[in-house]
Amino acid sequence: MERTNWTDIEFILQGLSEYPRAEKLLFAMCLLMYLVILLGNSTLIILTLLDSHLHTPMYFFLCHLSFLDIWYTSSFIPSMLIHFLSEKKTISFIRCVVQMSVSYTMGSTECVLLAVMAYDRSIAICNPLRYPIIINKALCIQMAAVSWGLGFLNSLTETILAVQLPFCGKNLINHFVCEILAFVKLACTDISLNEITIMLGNVIFLFVPLLLICISYIFILSTVLRINSAEGRKKAFSTCSAHIMVVTVFYGTILFMYMKPKSKDATFDKLIALFYGVVTPMLNPIIYSLRNTEVHGAMRKLTARLVLEERMRNLHL
C-alpha cells in the first residue's frame, strides 16, 4: 500500500458524529465544566500566590496540580467544543501531535505529582516536628521538577515512536481527541513496540505512583490510629481528606476504564474517557476548596481587599 505523508493531510475525529443531538448536549456540558475548571483552578493559584498563609508545601504542589489541569484541559477542550458544533471535524497532523503530546505529558505528570503530595502528607502527619526541615523549599522545587521532567520524558518517548510509524491513507480517529493509542492504530505496520511502550508507561506512571500513595497512607493510618483523642484523629485525617478524594476520583476513573470488559459499542468507552478528561480536573479545585478553612479564609481576605481598594478608588474620584 502507498504510504501517506501525514504532514500534508488532516485527521478526522469521529467523536459522536452519529449522534448530533448528543453532541449539542455535550457541548453545553463541556463548556460549562471548562469554565469551572478555568475559574476554580485559577482562583486556587491566585489565592496561593497572594496569601502568605498558603505558602506551604501542600499548596505549592496544589498550585502545580491546578496549573497542570488548566493546561491539560486547554490542550483539547476548545477544539473539541468547535468540533461538537461543526460538520467538518478535522485536525491537522501538527495540531494532533501537539494535542497528544501535551495531554500525555500532563496526565503522566499528575500521576507522579499525586504521589509526591501523598508523601508530603505522610511526613506532615507522621513526623510533624521535623516536617519543616524535611519538606523544605529546595526539596519541594526538586520534587515538582522531577514530576514535570518524568511526565515530559514519557510523553516525548511515546510521541517520537508514534510519529515515526508509516501510514497508508487511513485518517479516521475513533475518538473526540487525538489519543495516542487510537493514533498508532492507524499505522499500516506492526505496532507491537508502540503497544508495549504504552503499556509499560501506563504501569510505571499509573501503578507505581498508586503503590507509593498506598504506602504513604499505610504510614498515615498507623500514625493516626495511635492518637488517643478522637479530636486529634479527626484533625489528622482532615489534613489529607481532600487528597484522598482527588486520588479516588482520578484512579477510580482510570482503573474503571482499564479493567471493565471491552464494550461492543465504542460510544460508552469514549464517554468514559471524556469523563476522565473533563470531570476530574473540574472536581479537583472543588474538592480542595470544600470545607477548607484556609482557602475560605484566603478568599474572604482577598474579597475584603478588593472591596477596600474599590472604595478607596471611589473616594479619590
Side-chain angles (χ1 to χ4, degrees):
M1 297 179 68
E2 182 182 354
R3 295 182 180 182
T4 304
N5 183 1
W6 282 101
T7 57
D8 297 331
I9 69 170
E10 295 177 318
F11 294 101
I12 300 172
L13 297 170
Q14 185 175 6
L16 291 179
S17 301
E18 62 272 30
Y19 304 107
R21 290 186 178 179
E23 285 193 324
K24 301 297 188 294
L25 177 61
L26 284 175
F27 171 84
M29 293 173 60
C30 289
L31 176 61
L32 177 61
M33 288 188 284
Y34 183 53
L35 293 176
V36 173
I37 289 168
L38 294 179
L39 179 62
N41 286 291
S42 299
T43 300
L44 273 178
I45 293 173
I46 293 170
L47 289 176
T48 304
L49 293 175
L50 295 181
D51 196 313
S52 58
H53 292 93
L54 301 183
H55 292 176
T56 63
M58 184 180 82
Y59 288 100
F60 172 78
F61 295 126
L62 183 56
C63 262
H64 281 267
L65 184 64
S66 296
F67 179 78
L68 181 153
D69 283 337
I70 290 173
W71 271 96
Y72 172 67
T73 52
S74 297
S75 69
F76 70 91
I77 290 183
S79 62
M80 185 177 69
L81 292 174
I82 294 172
H83 290 157
F84 280 150
L85 297 180
S86 62
E87 294 183 3
K88 187 181 179 182
K89 306 177 190 299
T90 58
I91 185 170
S92 68
F93 173 83
I94 294 176
R95 283 179 57 207
C96 184
V97 171
V98 169
Q99 185 183 91
M100 185 171 62
S101 178
V102 171
S103 61
Y104 213 73
T105 299
M106 300 304 156
S108 302
T109 302
E110 183 164 0
C111 292
V112 182
L113 195 59
L114 288 174
V116 168
M117 294 172 75
Y119 172 71
D120 168 68
R121 292 298 83 204
S122 68
I123 299 298
I125 294 174
C126 301
N127 207 343
L129 296 179
R130 298 194 64 219
Y131 174 72
I133 300 172
I134 298 173
I135 309 295
N136 53 55
K137 185 178 180 180
L139 182 62
C140 288
I141 294 173
Q142 290 169 7
M143 290 193 293
V146 167
S147 300
W148 284 99
L150 289 175
F152 175 75
L153 286 175
N154 184 44
S155 174
L156 184 64
T157 303
E158 304 289 359
T159 304
I160 289 175
L161 289 174
V163 298
Q164 289 181 341
L165 291 170
F167 298 93
C168 305
K170 291 189 299 181
N171 66 335
L172 180 64
I173 297 179
N174 189 19
H175 212 288
F176 294 107
V177 297
C178 286
E179 195 266 337
I180 191 164
L181 192 56
F183 179 89
V184 300
K185 285 182 177 179
L186 297 178
C188 55
T189 187
D190 182 29
I191 59 171
S192 299
L193 177 61
N194 298 81
E195 290 179 328
I196 290 171
T197 54
I198 291 171
M199 183 186 68
L200 287 175
N202 289 340
V203 170
I204 294 171
F205 284 89
L206 288 176
F207 295 105
V208 172
L210 180 59
L211 176 63
L212 296 175
I213 291 170
C214 291
I215 292 172
S216 295
Y217 276 103
I218 288 172
F219 282 108
I220 289 173
L221 185 61
S222 64
T223 300
V224 170
L225 291 178
R226 290 198 299 267
I227 299 175
N228 294 325
S229 66
E231 186 64 28
R233 287 195 294 270
K234 182 180 178 181
K235 185 177 180 180
F237 268 127
S238 66
T239 63
C240 55
S241 58
H243 182 261
I244 293 174
M245 292 177 66
V246 167
V247 169
T248 301
V249 172
F250 181 80
Y251 276 101
T253 308
I254 293 178
L255 292 176
F256 178 77
M257 287 169 57
Y258 280 99
M259 299 180 70
K260 73 176 182 63
K262 191 67 176 177
S263 174
K264 293 182 180 180
D265 184 8
T267 302
F268 181 70
D269 295 333
K270 287 185 282 188
L271 290 174
I272 293 298
L274 184 64
F275 177 89
Y276 163 74
V278 180
V279 177
T280 302
M282 181 191 70
L283 290 178
N284 287 348
I286 296 174
I287 291 171
Y288 271 99
S289 301
L290 194 66
R291 296 176 61 186
N292 189 321
T293 55
E294 293 175 323
V295 173
H296 292 171
M299 180 67 77
R300 283 194 296 269
K301 284 192 287 184
L302 178 62
T303 304
R305 178 180 171 182
L306 292 175
V307 170
L308 181 60
E309 289 178 354
E310 182 65 25
R311 288 178 179 175
M312 295 296 292
R313 193 179 297 111
N314 292 335
L315 287 174
H316 287 300
L317 293 175

